[in-house]
Amino acid sequence: MVFALRLLYCKVNCALTVADGIAFKLFGRESWKDFVEMLVLQSMDVVYARVQPAGWGLDNMALSGLFENLVPLRDAIGSVVPLVETISRCMLEKFQCQKWCVVDGNSDSLFLSALDPQDFRSLILNGTSSKPTSASDSLRFSSFKKVIPRCEIETIWVLLGFSAERPTEQTTVTKYRWRLLTALFIGTAGVLSKEYFDASSINDKTKPFPGKDHITQCRAEM
């Protein structure tokens, strides 16, 4: 995958024509974006599975080795698309709730994932994939509405922080980044949420506000 992304970075795909068959379908002037988006979604799924293992039916695992293994893929993806913007868009409009999936119809190979492995297989073999539905009830982020759990906020910060470590020459800033950041900060479990300030003033009107821990968390997220 990294090699394919390097070829995209060198714009080798610009010379592809319909006569090149599956290569054109997969890496043509516009179709390559579907391939890269699928890799981004797969990477997001892996990070979620490690940061929130219980939600993906896994045991706790060390995070350090995971990120080391993803660095080459992250850097390769970031060379062809603005990574933070792409992850923000995928989080808001593409990334689905995890569900049970099977491998090649084998019921003994059940696993939890936010993506159907058949989508990626179809993309590689045929150059097309079944697009994830845009219905809000199937999208993970939309399912929370404004009640975003704290564990979800922290997982998204991990994703954004990891992706932002890769400098990109593409400086496009889209509405998706700001929509996502706004939700992380002012959602019900966000560090700048109205609910936090209301609850703090109600619970203890004599305690200095904001507290040290809250300031530390605000500083880290800012």
Side-chain angles (χ1 to χ4, degrees), residues 141-149 153 183 186-190 193 195:
F141 197 77
S142 297
S143 68
F144 296 119
K145 302 188 185 300
K146 289 187 177 181
V147 189
I148 309 172
I153 291 176
I186 68 173
T188 54
S193 68
E195 287 79 6

Side-chain angles (χ1 to χ4, degrees), residues 47 67 70-71 74 83 157-166:
V47 171
F67 292 120
L70 282 180
V71 164
R74 178 204 65 188
L83 198 49
W157 278 124
V158 170
L159 268 171
L160 292 176
F162 179 63
S163 62
E165 286 182 351
R166 198 281 176 191

Side-chain angles (χ1 to χ4, degrees), residues 23-96:
F24 176 76
K25 288 183 178 180
L26 193 56
F27 300 113
R29 288 182 179 272
E30 292 298 325
S31 57
W32 67 270
K33 296 177 182 179
D34 290 337
F35 171 75
V36 174
E37 181 179 276
M38 184 68 75
L39 293 182
V40 170
L41 290 169
Q42 291 277 5
S43 299
M44 292 170 64
D45 194 46
V46 171
V47 171
Y48 259 90
R50 294 303 183 266
V51 179
Q52 297 188 33
W56 267 253
L58 301 172
D59 296 326
N60 290 326
M61 301 177 68
L63 296 180
S64 57
L66 160 72
F67 292 120
E68 291 175 3
N69 293 333
L70 282 180
V71 164
L73 181 60
R74 178 204 65 188
D75 291 350
I77 294 174
S79 70
V80 295
V81 296
L83 198 49
V84 171
E85 306 303 329
T86 302
I87 285 179
S88 297
R89 178 178 59 80
C90 287
M91 179 61 65
L92 293 170
E93 297 187 346
K94 298 289 183 178
F95 196 63
Q96 295 181 293

